[in-house]
Amino acid sequence: MDAVRVALLREVLAGTDWLQSTRRFAGSLRSSVGAHGGGLLLVGTAAYEPWHLAAHLDEEAAWSGLPELSPTLIRHRVPPGAPAHLSVGLGRLEAARRGETLLVVADDLPGEGLLERVHDARRGGATIFALDGGADGGAGSEMRSLAHDALSVPSSAELDLDTVQHLVSAAAGENGLPAQRGRRFRDRLSRLADQLTAPPPNRW
């Protein structure tokens, strides 16, 4: 979702709790990684890899001048021949330590294996964030209880989890004063126009 669509979505959501909730969550995430100069780990579930969130956070890191927002995507299964930045497996969670931030994105129940690794990461001192689809049940509740900060998108919400991820990633890059954000928005529109005539990046 590009900057124009995010802006239009925010207009539609004006007056709802979602703008405040996503900005609060994104601000907390940004503060966590900013306090330690980086170390953002991003993981999904065995059935759901948050590719788009990884890509958008990477873009926000570049556009906002906040390189610490660029995440390391952790994968449940790493296929042979994957590039280095897409070859980080679940073992990385076991090595998570104080000063690192782990963002868990779960569209459904996270699974016991992931829960155990997130628990290990928290015991190692990592700060845990959870963004989920509001799944009921023990595993979903346990993941939220492990998190230092959590944002849920229940099925009854006006938005889906993918849309909320776009709002969170866009809000995470909003670090400047209003005038600076206005200039950055215009810069992003200019970049968007350039991108329309260029092939998409293949980092993710």
Side-chain angles (χ1 to χ4, degrees), residues 10 23 30 173-187:
R10 285 174 170 171
R23 281 185 167 135
R30 184 178 65 240
E174 292 180 340
N175 64 312
L177 297 172
Q180 293 173 324
R181 289 200 297 267
R183 286 195 296 272
R184 189 170 67 87
F185 180 73
R186 289 190 295 273
D187 289 343

Side-chain angles (χ1 to χ4, degrees), residues 76 93 104 109-121 138-146:
H76 288 253
L93 296 181
V104 183
L109 295 177
E112 291 299 325
L114 179 58
L115 278 174
E116 290 176 6
R117 287 180 168 88
V118 172
H119 191 271
D120 288 343
S141 299
E142 187 174 350
M143 179 63 76
R144 289 188 286 273
S145 70
L146 282 174

Side-chain angles (χ1 to χ4, degrees), residues 1-3 6 10 53-71 165-175 184 188:
M1 186 178 293
D2 56 56
V6 169
R10 285 174 170 171
L53 182 57
H56 286 297
L57 284 172
D58 203 45
E59 291 172 350
E60 288 295 335
W63 288 341
S64 64
L66 296 170
E68 60 268 24
L69 284 177
S70 185
Q165 289 179 65
H166 287 298
L167 291 171
V168 167
S169 61
E174 292 180 340
N175 64 312
R184 189 170 67 87
R188 291 175 67 177

Side-chain angles (χ1 to χ4, degrees), residues 24-33 40-43 100-105 118 126-132 143-144 146-151:
R24 179 206 59 76
F25 184 82
S28 182
L29 178 68
R30 184 178 65 240
S31 295
S32 179
V33 296
L40 177 57
L41 307 175
L42 175 63
V43 66
E100 294 184 310
T101 300
L102 172 61
L103 173 56
V104 183
V105 181
V118 172
T127 302
I128 311 299
F129 286 77
L131 180 58
D132 65 58
M143 179 63 76
R144 289 188 286 273
L146 282 174
H148 295 88
D149 199 344
L151 180 61

Side-chain angles (χ1 to χ4, degrees), residues 6-24 151-153 156-160 163-164 167:
V6 169
L8 291 174
L9 178 59
R10 285 174 170 171
E11 288 184 12
V12 171
L13 294 173
T16 71
D17 292 334
W18 282 111
L19 291 184
Q20 181 178 356
S21 296
T22 53
R23 281 185 167 135
R24 179 206 59 76
L151 180 61
S152 293
V153 189
S156 59
E158 306 93 333
L159 305 177
D160 59 22
T163 301
V164 170
L167 291 171

